[in-house]
Amino acid sequence: MRRPFGSLSVSLSAAGLVLALGLGACGSDDKKAGGGGSDAHGGDQLEDVEVIDGAEADVTVLDNTFNTENIQIAPGTKVVWTNDGRQDHDIVPVDGPDGLGVEPGDFNPDAVYEYTFDKPGTYRYYCSLHGTEDAGMIGAIVVKE
């Protein structure tokens, strides 16, 4: 018996594999911004942490990225996020501190959001419109003495 769609199912399977591999490259599950470590916020597993000295640290939000995902600052440093993109964003803390975060309606293009970090720790955050806690548009602030 001949199957008229036999080659079509092989082609669809191959196309599905190519699509799955392509989508896997778009997001990352490597949890750059932590996920277990020396403190409750996963500070030991961060990669590419930029150390910023001074009273203020700037993070540019451009389309679907934070220009620097992971930064290290001293206690008392103000972090300023500027939405230089064309889309609304938000900042959602994964785990504290109280008061951190901004809603999409308050963080549209050209908006600025700032928060001063006083206590040492690692604070992961993400944009819920363009990511999840673990992949997509994620970042972390490491506050270190």
Side-chain angles (χ1 to χ4, degrees):
M1 180 168 167
R2 185 174 176 168
R3 294 184 176 181
F5 296 106
S7 63
L8 178 62
S9 67
V10 171
S11 296
L12 289 177
S13 295
L17 178 62
V18 169
L19 181 62
L21 291 173
L23 289 177
C26 291
S28 173
D29 285 356
D30 63 1
K31 297 185 181 183
K32 273 188 175 181
S38 67
D39 61 27
H41 305 287
D44 283 349
Q45 294 184 4
L46 294 176
E47 297 176 8
D48 302 322
V49 178
E50 181 178 329
V51 177
I52 298 176
D53 293 324
E56 189 171 293
D58 296 315
V59 176
T60 301
V61 181
L62 184 60
D63 299 322
N64 294 333
T65 62
F66 296 109
N67 72 330
T68 306
E69 286 184 5
N70 305 316
I71 63 173
Q72 179 180 312
I73 59 174
T77 302
K78 177 172 45 175
V79 177
V80 179
W81 288 267
T82 303
N83 186 348
D84 283 343
R86 300 169 295 178
Q87 305 172 28
D88 289 355
H89 294 283
D90 62 3
I91 295 174
V92 179
V94 173
D95 186 19
D98 290 339
L100 173 63
V102 63
E103 297 292 323
D106 296 327
F107 201 48
N108 48 19
D110 299 321
V112 174
Y113 171 72
E114 56 189 50
Y115 184 88
T116 301
F117 290 83
D118 294 318
K119 295 177 74 175
T122 300
Y123 304 99
R124 295 174 50 223
Y125 64 93
Y126 65 102
C127 173
S128 69
L129 303 174
H130 304 104
T132 66
E133 291 182 11
D134 298 319
M137 197 170 172
I138 59 175
I141 308 295
V142 179
V143 182
K144 194 169 187 176
E145 295 285 346

